[in-house]
Amino acid sequence: SGDCILGSGSSCVFQDLGQYMNSLRTLRALEPTAVYPGHGDIITEPVKGIDQYLDHRLQREREVLQQLEAAGPRTVPQLVELIYRD
């Protein structure tokens, strides 16, 4: 899977979120029984992991939209500071 799905953590090396999400959906549709990431251990429950990646990215997208709606236009560094507090 290269960096599309990692053995631990989440990937943020994509240039286009839409393409990345489509890649995850394509992998998900294959219903793999194992994924061999570019980093980390073999993923033995990849469908579950892919679903978690999709959910995570959609949650981040919702957080960005919520911040923009609540506080108006922001720069990327300002959004990062507001959203990635932990």
Side-chain angles (χ1 to χ4, degrees):
S1 69
D3 286 340
C4 188
I5 302 171
L6 302 178
S8 62
S10 65
S11 178
C12 193
V13 296
F14 50 84
Q15 296 291 318
D16 182 308
L17 180 60
Q19 288 178 349
Y20 176 68
M21 296 294 279
N22 286 336
S23 293
L24 289 175
R25 289 182 184 112
T26 298
L27 288 170
R28 173 68 170 81
L30 296 172
E31 297 183 4
T33 58
V35 168
Y36 298 82
H39 307 277
D41 297 329
I42 297 169
I43 301 168
T44 57
E45 294 184 59
V47 172
K48 178 181 174 184
I50 293 167
D51 287 344
Q52 289 172 341
Y53 270 68
L54 288 166
D55 290 344
H56 176 73
R57 289 291 161 215
L58 291 171
Q59 176 60 37
R60 288 294 190 211
E61 183 178 50
R62 284 189 295 274
E63 291 171 353
V64 168
L65 293 174
Q66 287 170 351
Q67 289 298 329
L68 291 173
E69 289 171 0
R74 293 282 184 250
T75 65
V76 171
Q78 288 171 328
L79 287 170
V80 168
E81 186 177 317
L82 291 167
I83 295 168
Y84 292 87
R85 291 179 183 225
D86 50 357

